[in-house]
Amino acid sequence: MRFLGISLVLMVGLLTILSYSILEYQETKKDQINSMSKDSAIQRTAIDSWVAARASEIRNLAHLQSTIELEMDDIQSNLTYFASQQQEFEAVSFADKEGIVEFSTMNQIGAYFSERTFLEEAAKGNEYISNVLLGNVTRQPMILFSAPIMSGSNQFKGVIYGTVTLKTIDQLLEQFRRGDSGESYVVDRNGYLITESRFEGDWKVMEYQLNSDILKRAQYGKKSNSIYESYRGKQVLGTYQLVNNGKWIIVNEIERDEVYHTFYRQLVVMISIVCIVLTIGFVAMLRISHHIEHPVQHLLKGVQRLKRGDYDYKIDYSGMLNAPVELLQLCEAFNQMSRNIQDNELELKRQKEELAGSNAELEQFAYVASHDLQEPLRMVASYVQLLAKRYQGKLDQDADDFIHYAVDGSQRMQNLINDLLAFSRVGTKGKEPKPVHLEKVLQHVLANLQHAVQESDARISLDQLPTVMADSTQMVQLFQNLVGNSIKFRDANRKAVIHIGVKRQGQEWEFSVRDNGIGFDPKYAERIFFIFQRLHNKTKYQGTGIGLSICKKIVERHGGRIWVESVAGSSTTFYFTLPVGGEQLDDRQ
């Protein structure tokens, strides 16, 4: 019980901690991913809008030059004014259709850019946004925006282009850097860093190529969030978004330990609380189990002593006042039961002794009475038979009948007294048990019944019989009565067939004596074992009705039981059991 209580408390504690850990861990990760994904979406919108705004400004500036004649003073004035009104463009320039720079706010007049992609696109009438470039003068990453200048007849006349640094994007990303380890940066499709790193080392922007799981995911279009090892060799939780028509990748990262720092702290607090609760529960359980277990142990001890016959044992529960009331009531009920059993046991013992004495007196009386009646009865029978022999036919018919009735009654009285004497001797004159081979017993029985067997032409068969611990004389009586009954109550229209069988049932031998005789109604199966009980007319079947009572008494004296199964007009089978190993015979039967 105590072990069950401890196990239950521990299980509840462990399940509580485990459930909390799993749910809180998943919830923390989910919340962080959702928050970073929202940040990435905002960053994507802001950067795409910033790029679109710069492209629109260059487009409008080029369109303004297309609506007027190409006067260099006008172009220079327009570009100078444009550069002075906004802070994003580092420089704004104009190149003619040959690629020669006609004007530049960074003093690049006369430079030749015929090989530049933006000029080729402008010649085709297309706007152009470059990849990130490293400025020749500033050595800072920048983007080039260009738009063509077309004449009224849609002829290419030149190109307006401007370069923009990524400082604005750096400032934007700075707002989304979380905690102590959070970082937001932009890389191109090849993994080159194009914005400043919060953890910048000796390397420079555009000269450091990253190689991490999040970039591989972005390149292959896989899930946009993951836990992986960052370019700094730290385990991080990161998300990505594609911007600028998929040319760039925004990455948001934060170290895994920092994400779960609060979770770990809460988990420690939770474990501490659970441990405190478990400790309190454990102590309380021990106290409760002590109050319950102590009286239960006393009850168990009392039951064991009661089982051994110690009816004087009483449970002292005076020191168990803190125990549940029900257990105290159970202890008191046990004490009362013990007293009742003790009283009943004494009464039963007294009644048993009285019954044993009464049975002994009755058996002695039956023995003495039947024995003492033998001599006067023999004398009566002898003189009645002498009268029959001397005066048979010399007196009238009534006298002959009276003498016949007297002779018959005296003979039946002798038989009854002999059977009664045999019945009384089962308990008083029994022998000590010895190994008895039952096949030899059956040989003795068949020898005794030889005349009846020959006269009835009965066929008797038997199984291989075992050796048992028994009174050999009473075994002869038992089998002789049963086999004799089978011969006596045979069917006159068919040959008597009798089989004596045996089989082992656990620690008992089960014997059977089966015949094909006249049988009887099964409702008399119990009655036939009562003394002096007869089912047939005494004139047709001789006997006193004591034989089966003797069989029952012999079997019960040997620790067995006897019963019968019968079908009227067909067959009868008597069954009885004897212990396999034998046991001390009960002479109080």
Side-chain angles (χ1 to χ4, degrees), residues 469-483:
M469 293 291 291
D471 182 333
S472 59
T473 301
Q474 292 185 351
M475 288 295 103
V476 172
Q477 283 182 283
L478 174 62
F479 280 100
Q480 186 164 319
N481 280 340
L482 294 177
V483 175

Side-chain angles (χ1 to χ4, degrees), residues 431-437 467-472 475 558 585:
K431 299 178 182 178
E432 290 296 322
K434 294 180 181 179
V436 177
H437 198 314
T467 297
V468 297
M469 293 291 291
D471 182 333
S472 59
M475 288 295 103
H558 285 77
L585 302 188

